[in-house]
Amino acid sequence: MSQHFKLEELERSQIALERGIQNRCPEPLRINLSFTAAGLERLRAYLGGKAIVIDSGYRCPELNRLVRGSDRSQHLSGQAADIRCPGFGDPQAVARALLPARFILGIDQLILEATWVHVSFTLEPRYQVLRCIAPGEYLEGLG
Ligand SMILES: [Zn+2]
């Protein structure tokens, strides 16, 4: 997909593996996934070139239902990734570093979740920032 992100990494899901779900991104959505990979490259460079771990990238509908993802989740269209960057810091530190850079990095949505950071990339980014305060409950900003 890009220099540091393979298609397999963006399709890999521990839950899909455990449940025997074939989480493969359909060909027409691969262009979105490539766009996401390009965005992740910009993030990676911005965070000092530290390795980025992808907890979840593309999700097929079956996997998305299983993880109780929203019906409109950008994971379904290959536009989002849940990431960690242990070499940089915890998710809180990563989100705070990305916050002011969301404009130059072209981040559509930046969400600080409990143990990861959700980022999405679209052609017309909203630069939206949210934090999860309880399962399914979000507030604006990082607090
Ligand atoms: Zn996510």
Side-chain angles (χ1 to χ4, degrees), residues 21-33:
I21 296 169
Q22 295 288 324
N23 187 51
R24 303 301 308 273
C25 181
E27 190 63 42
L29 295 178
R30 292 232 179 135
I31 185 147
N32 291 345
L33 215 48

Side-chain angles (χ1 to χ4, degrees), residues 1-105:
M1 294 264 114
S2 67
Q3 193 185 351
H4 297 102
F5 300 100
K6 296 193 189 83
L7 174 61
E8 295 80 51
E9 286 179 272
L10 288 156
E11 290 178 329
R12 189 183 301 147
S13 155
Q14 190 55 40
I15 293 165
L17 281 173
E18 286 166 8
R19 302 293 184 99
I21 296 169
Q22 295 288 324
N23 187 51
R24 303 301 308 273
C25 181
E27 190 63 42
L29 295 178
R30 292 232 179 135
I31 185 147
N32 291 345
L33 215 48
S34 290
F35 193 76
T36 298
L40 292 174
E41 289 289 351
R42 296 194 297 276
L43 254 71
R44 189 184 190 279
Y46 184 78
L47 295 174
K50 306 276 196 297
I52 287 184
V53 181
I54 300 172
D55 286 339
S56 179
Y58 169 74
R59 284 183 206 148
C60 66
E62 190 183 1
L63 175 60
N64 192 56
R65 273 192 297 275
L66 208 57
V67 300
R68 296 170 202 274
S70 148
D71 289 345
R72 298 184 337 225
S73 168
Q74 288 177 302
H75 287 280
L76 285 166
S77 50
Q79 292 174 301
D82 295 337
I83 61 163
R84 287 178 292 118
C85 188
F88 184 87
D90 63 14
Q92 171 102 331
V94 171
R96 290 204 180 280
L98 295 176
L99 177 72
R102 65 193 186 280
F103 304 104
I104 54 161
L105 295 173

Side-chain angles (χ1 to χ4, degrees), residues 56 59 73 75 80-82 111 113 116-119:
S56 179
R59 284 183 206 148
S73 168
H75 287 280
D82 295 337
I111 308 177
E113 300 275 2
W116 67 89
V117 176
H118 168 107
V119 286

